[in-house]
Amino acid sequence: MPRANSPERADADDRNPDYAKAGAILTSVRRSDAATRKPVFLGWGVVAVAALASFTEVSFFNPVLGVFMPALTEDFGWGRTEVSGAMTTGSLLGALLSPWFGPLIDRYGGRRFVAGGAFVMFLCLVALAMLQNVWQFYIFYSIGRGMASGIVGLAATVTVSKWFVRRRGLAVGLTTLGTRAGFAIMPIGVQLIIGGWGWREAWLALAAIVLVLGILPAVRFLHPRPEALGLLPDGDSAAAPRGGDGKRFASEVSWTRDAAVRTKAFWLVTAAISLQAWAGGAINMHQIPHLVDQGLSPESAALIISLLALFAAAGSLLEGVLDERIGARWTLVIGLVGSAGGMVVLMNVHGTDMALAYAAAYGVAFGLMVTSSQVVFADYFGREAIGAIRGAAAPIQMGLNAIGPVVAGAAYDLTGNYLAAFIPFTAAYLLAAASLVAARKPVVPERLAIETAGAVAAG
């Protein structure tokens, strides 16, 4: 019997036309398969880099500062109000920066703003490791917080929104997994470093994380938009239906900032995400003290919050699934109503079982809510000017986020518990949901519709 590839087998193939024909077909199929095999869409790499940047932002978020608070008060004699004030100041700085940098992110891409903002964060963390006075703390922490919330976070999610249309919810959900991972890992890691070496070393460890995960990947891989590389959003080869209601397309109409802010929908959506930020920021800061007041040990309360972060990660992924089916607007409504339900559970926590129920209910809803709030403006107004549009809403959103923790602290000081704050926060979530229900998508101006149609025809 002739061996494969032997001269005898070749002669046999030549004599038998069926062998030759089958071989030619097989070769053709293999070549066709190799030619049409679609590479992995580069946008998913952008998502991974943005998720790393989101992870580093948590260095200047409430839970991490809460871990440093006892050490700072012990070494310097500062009160908790003094320490918390730097968070508020930094959030207000971020609110001032976003309107200025949003249009620049649209114009130049997110790479330089993620990498540049993270570099300033790195310098501030190094400076905090050498801290001696409260004014130094306010300067360096406030600047770092402003960079994290006002520039790095905005640039990362805006960049992802420009790479995706049909799968924007999933892409942003994967990006926010970086934040959820930061919430789950960083407080515990910082506490271990403080306990083993000291709080100055903990600031330096955070600086190293920002350098390795926040700056270096962004410089190399955070590409500004698919068109700059000859690609289309979502990796499409042509305009495709987005799915869900069947009316949204990859060639979505993009509003200008000036046109968007003149619509009723812009202000209703801004009201919704601002109310969410007001309540959510305060709850992040004060949920552990409340759980301890309700009888949990500090260690158990910290574990509950880590579990909450894991449930929130699941909620972020679920947001991507729901967004493709019902859109970011209605997904955000579900998250807001679910968060209000989670607050009812939190106000009735009297033991570990109810605390676990709170972690599950509020965690999933919070993941839905926060991720959808990053997507909803793009779904209403398109992606071309999304940085400028979100920047226009940022002063209200981040301003309320800054004062939320102060409101909760004042309510506790006046009444001896958090109910006087948690009840209004629950109502704020429901009011935000109602605002979104009323926020019907505006009619596209004729000029923008014509421009988009022309772009699609040319493409």
Side-chain angles (χ1 to χ4, degrees):
M1 181 176 181
R3 297 189 309 273
N5 300 324
S6 68
E8 293 85 352
R9 176 62 183 268
D11 291 342
D13 288 350
D14 290 339
R15 291 191 299 271
N16 189 335
D18 289 337
Y19 277 124
K21 183 177 180 180
I25 293 174
L26 181 59
T27 301
S28 176
V29 168
R30 286 172 176 170
R31 288 175 179 172
S32 175
D33 182 64
T36 59
R37 188 178 295 119
K38 194 173 183 179
V40 176
F41 180 44
L42 187 60
W44 296 116
V46 173
V47 168
V49 175
L52 291 176
S54 298
F55 180 85
T56 65
E57 284 180 73
V58 181
S59 301
F60 285 95
F61 278 15
N62 296 2
V64 174
L65 181 59
V67 175
F68 280 100
M69 190 177 292
L72 295 176
T73 56
E74 181 179 349
D75 279 14
F76 295 108
W78 301 339
R80 296 193 175 189
T81 302
E82 289 176 285
V83 177
S84 300
M87 176 69 70
T88 298
T89 305
S91 296
L92 293 175
L93 176 61
L96 294 175
L97 292 173
S98 293
W100 292 97
F101 281 91
L104 296 176
I105 294 167
D106 289 327
R107 182 175 181 180
Y108 298 108
R111 172 188 292 160
R112 65 188 67 187
F113 298 100
V114 171
F119 181 69
V120 176
M121 288 169 55
F122 166 78
L123 295 178
C124 289
L125 289 165
V126 173
L128 286 168
M130 298 181 283
L131 194 63
Q132 297 296 333
N133 300 291
V134 69
W135 64 265
Q136 295 172 338
F137 176 65
Y138 265 72
I139 289 175
F140 298 127
Y141 191 87
S142 297
I143 292 175
R145 167 69 177 177
M147 291 294 111
S149 61
I151 296 180
V152 175
L154 179 65
T157 53
V158 163
T159 301
V160 170
S161 293
K162 289 181 182 293
W163 275 85
F164 293 87
V165 177
R166 291 184 296 103
R167 312 203 73 184
R168 183 180 290 142
L170 175 61
V172 175
L174 292 172
T175 301
T176 60
L177 285 182
T179 307
R180 305 279 76 79
F183 272 94
I185 296 171
M186 276 198 188
I188 296 174
V190 167
Q191 184 61 64
L192 291 173
I193 295 172
I194 291 175
W197 291 276
W199 60 266
R200 296 185 187 276
E201 288 75 10
W203 288 121
L204 290 175
L206 291 176
I209 290 173
V210 170
L211 174 64
V212 174
L213 300 183
I215 301 173
L216 299 180
V219 169
R220 179 64 181 86
F221 298 110
L222 196 67
H223 304 292
R225 54 190 301 116
E227 290 85 352
L229 301 175
L231 302 173
L232 289 176
D234 300 293
D236 290 336
S237 56
R242 172 161 178 156
D245 57 14
K247 299 178 182 178
R248 292 180 294 174
F249 296 86
S251 54
E252 62 184 355
V253 176
S254 290
W255 295 62
T256 64
R257 178 176 62 179
D258 291 343
V261 298
R262 287 196 292 267
T263 66
K264 179 181 178 181
F266 172 84
W267 295 106
L268 287 171
V269 174
T270 297
I273 65 170
S274 298
L275 287 168
Q276 174 261 315
W278 178 62
I283 295 162
N284 282 345
M285 177 73 80
H286 292 276
Q287 57 191 347
I288 287 182
H290 174 73
L291 292 173
V292 172
D293 291 343
Q294 297 305 109
L296 274 70
S297 68
E299 294 77 14
S300 296
L303 178 60
I304 291 296
I305 301 310
S306 293
L307 291 173
L308 189 151
L310 294 177
F311 281 110
S316 295
L317 295 177
L318 178 61
E319 195 282 338
V321 176
L322 292 177
D323 179 73
E324 290 191 11
R325 286 162 173 75
I326 62 176
R329 172 193 181 189
W330 296 110
T331 304
L332 182 51
V333 169
I334 293 172
L336 289 163
V337 173
S339 295
M343 288 301 299
V344 174
V345 178
L346 177 63
M347 288 185 283
N348 289 279
V349 167
H350 295 291
T352 303
D353 290 344
M354 286 295 289
L356 288 170
Y358 164 68
Y362 188 77
V364 172
F366 188 80
L368 283 175
M369 178 176 65
V370 172
T371 305
S372 297
S373 68
Q374 304 288 337
V375 178
V376 67
F377 273 121
D379 271 13
Y380 272 81
F381 301 110
R383 64 194 178 97
E384 294 301 323
I386 188 60
I389 293 169
R390 285 184 54 186
I396 302 173
Q397 177 188 3
M398 298 179 67
L400 285 176
N401 179 260
I403 67 174
V406 178
V407 170
Y412 181 84
D413 290 339
L414 290 172
T415 65
N417 61 62
Y418 283 107
L419 290 181
F422 286 172
I423 291 174
F425 292 154
T426 304
Y429 282 145
L430 295 175
L431 182 59
S435 181
L436 276 174
V437 171
R440 294 188 176 185
K441 289 193 175 182
V443 176
V444 177
E446 184 178 356
R447 177 180 60 82
L448 294 177
I450 293 173
E451 289 177 357
T452 301
V456 173

